Amino acid sequence: MKDMALWNEGDWIAVIALVVLGVFLSIGALIAGSKKPEFAGHPKGLYMLFFAEMWERFSYYGMRALLIFYLTQHWLFSDGKSNLIYGAYTSLVYITPVLGGYLADRYLGQRKAVLFGGILLAFGHLFMAFEGMHGITDAATKQADPAINIFWLALALIIVGSGFLKANISVMVGQLYRLTDMRRDAAYTIFYMGINVGAALGTILVGYLGQRIGWAYGFGLAGIGMIAGLIVFVLGKKVLLGAGEAPAPLSRNTEMAVYGSGLAAVAVMWGLVQYQDVIQTLLIISGFSLLGWVLYQALKLDKEPRERIFAILFLIALNPLFWGLFEQAGGSFNLYTDRYVDIGGVPASVFQSINPIYIILFAPFFAMLWQWLGKRGLEPSAPAKFALALAQVGLGFLVFVWGAKSVGMEAMTPVIFVFLLYLLHTTGELCLSPVGLSAMNRLAPSFMASLIMGAWFYMTAVGNFVAGKIGEATGGHDGVMTKDATLAIYDQIGWITLGVSVVVLALSPIVKRWMHLDTLRDADHIAGEGELGEPQAAGTHPESKGA
């Protein structure tokens, strides 16, 4: 172990993260040891799900922070190709919950789906620890390294495992409460904190070990984190009070068939993640088909529900643009931070923790802000909030480009501009992600509720793939990132997005009228509104005077 006198900033950050993790685990042990059915006014099952999800996010975001470096520095893919693989992987992670959610609702129930998904995730993260040779091919023999297939398998297992776990564990939170229980929003806020605590701590600890000691140690810790989450989930079954069980008696053959379909999906993802052009084609065809079907259904409705669908489609169409820029964080911006930012002794992957830390700090403020503005009739409408989100993500890139150029292109970019970019992107995320989920829940007619929510996450997946394409462009023709080219692309996408935000803001009064908030009734709402692991946005108030 390194002498404390020799510790640098990165070492201290890792130790602080370890202490914070110890504090949370101590609190978890205290809750688990309590004989009472509730803790701090909530059922113990909520805290069990909190810690299970915390560990899952610990492993997922820790691995995500390392992935672009593993692709470029270990497997020696070009910068452009690495960004494309990264985008393909993250986009598939957002598509598979459609399969996992359907199979849980129809057959398995959420508890068994989460357990199966967690097992796949644990194997996936542990397989990431098999490094093989240094590079895609052996430099001496020019033979392909067979270990690359284990790497593709690991990604496929994580993709499908996330599909079975991601949405289903969030639904279980809602099943612990009655629909009329006033504690539901607070429960999802607590749960959302678990997501971001796990993301922050996993990014720091997994990233630190992976970049400082070895890839296998970082990915191995991610795998251990997932196993810890599984143990918490299995041991805490009794505090779920029956939540997440199968909707009907499940035969052994049916259950095995569902698991078999999950393994078949792993094989499909193993192929898709290697051939990104196929993913692009499938996203385009299925995306237009999905939106076309929604539009076709809308045209058969009466005026008000039809126009609400138009408002939904308007908001959904902005998703790929926002996430395409936002998700540069784990790809091209991660590489830029590593190579061109003055980060001292801190591993670049650790900076991925800034976003979840900002969310923990600012999410309560935004919830109170919308509520405060709403009571005064000044809360911006959902499309106006989307305009603000786009403006902030675009402005984040423009501020960063200005900061990088202000010190001269030959100098390293000051690290303060990394913090500023993440600050603007996080506040933008808080104006779009929970607001969008709330809008989908409010505006979708009941018979299209799941389809609309699926379309929302589908377009988020498209945005992640777009992020990979933008990241690929930073590699230029030869696939190697340069500072000049990357800043030029960041400047271009920043101005374009700022321009789009102005257009969206100008159109927001029209889109707000399409929402017909003044005539919404409970029958139009989705039962269990907000059961997707995100905090509900502050109410979209019909009396709001904002744009």
Side-chain angles (χ1 to χ4, degrees), residues 150-175:
I150 298 178
F151 170 68
W152 299 128
L153 175 61
L155 292 185
L157 286 165
I158 294 171
I159 289 166
V160 178
S162 295
F164 276 92
L165 187 145
K166 188 174 177 63
N168 288 317
I169 194 169
S170 303
V171 170
M172 292 175 70
V173 173
Q175 293 177 347

Side-chain angles (χ1 to χ4, degrees), residues 35-48:
K35 301 297 184 182
K36 298 179 180 179
E38 293 190 352
F39 184 88
H42 288 274
K44 289 174 68 175
L46 171 65
Y47 301 100
M48 187 278 284

Side-chain angles (χ1 to χ4, degrees), residues 189-250:
T189 300
I190 293 170
F191 183 73
Y192 196 58
M193 293 289 281
I195 292 174
N196 288 288
V197 167
L201 296 178
T203 296
I204 293 171
L205 294 173
V206 173
Y208 176 85
L209 283 179
Q211 286 198 277
R212 281 291 173 81
I213 300 178
W215 306 115
Y217 290 93
F219 292 129
L221 178 61
I224 292 170
M226 190 61 246
I227 292 172
L230 273 176
I231 292 172
V232 169
F233 189 76
V234 171
L235 294 180
K237 177 185 175 181
K238 63 180 181 180
V239 299
L240 290 174
L241 306 176
E245 294 304 322
L250 185 65

Side-chain angles (χ1 to χ4, degrees), residues 98-341:
V98 177
L99 170 67
Y102 172 79
L103 292 176
D105 287 341
R106 186 74 182 271
Y107 302 107
L108 282 182
Q110 286 75 31
R111 186 183 64 81
K112 287 187 175 181
V114 168
L115 184 60
F116 179 60
I119 292 171
L120 295 181
L121 280 164
F123 276 109
H125 287 297
L126 292 174
F127 281 157
M128 288 291 293
F130 286 87
E131 296 182 12
M133 298 179 292
H134 188 65
I136 307 169
T137 59
D138 184 356
T141 64
K142 303 298 181 184
Q143 296 295 312
D145 184 357
I148 190 67
N149 291 307
I150 298 178
F151 170 68
W152 299 128
L153 175 61
L155 292 185
L157 286 165
I158 294 171
I159 289 166
V160 178
S162 295
F164 276 92
L165 187 145
K166 188 174 177 63
N168 288 317
I169 194 169
S170 303
V171 170
M172 292 175 70
V173 173
Q175 293 177 347
L176 294 172
Y177 301 85
R178 294 182 180 275
L179 293 179
T180 55
D181 195 324
M182 297 300 292
R183 299 176 298 170
R184 288 168 64 86
D185 283 0
Y188 273 104
T189 300
I190 293 170
F191 183 73
Y192 196 58
M193 293 289 281
I195 292 174
N196 288 288
V197 167
L201 296 178
T203 296
I204 293 171
L205 294 173
V206 173
Y208 176 85
L209 283 179
Q211 286 198 277
R212 281 291 173 81
I213 300 178
W215 306 115
Y217 290 93
F219 292 129
L221 178 61
I224 292 170
M226 190 61 246
I227 292 172
L230 273 176
I231 292 172
V232 169
F233 189 76
V234 171
L235 294 180
K237 177 185 175 181
K238 63 180 181 180
V239 299
L240 290 174
L241 306 176
E245 294 304 322
L250 185 65
S251 71
R252 183 71 174 173
N253 289 340
T254 300
E255 185 174 355
M256 290 299 107
V258 172
Y259 296 147
S261 68
L263 295 177
V266 171
V268 173
M269 296 304 158
W270 180 85
L272 283 179
V273 77
Q274 299 179 59
Y275 300 101
Q276 299 84 38
D277 290 342
V278 176
I279 298 177
Q280 178 176 322
T281 303
L282 290 175
L283 286 175
I284 292 172
I285 294 173
S286 53
F288 277 110
S289 300
L290 176 60
L291 295 181
W293 177 254
V294 172
L295 185 60
Y296 170 73
Q297 293 295 327
L299 294 175
K300 297 190 294 184
L301 299 174
D302 294 333
K303 181 178 184 294
E304 287 194 3
R306 180 173 68 246
E307 290 188 345
R308 289 193 187 113
I309 295 295
F310 293 161
I312 285 171
L313 292 176
F314 179 85
L315 297 177
I316 285 177
L318 299 174
N319 232 4
L321 176 60
F322 179 86
W323 294 112
L325 272 65
F326 182 91
E327 284 296 332
Q328 294 307 306
S332 69
F333 192 68
N334 216 0
L335 289 176
Y336 185 100
T337 303
D338 184 56
R339 298 174 186 178
Y340 305 119
V341 175

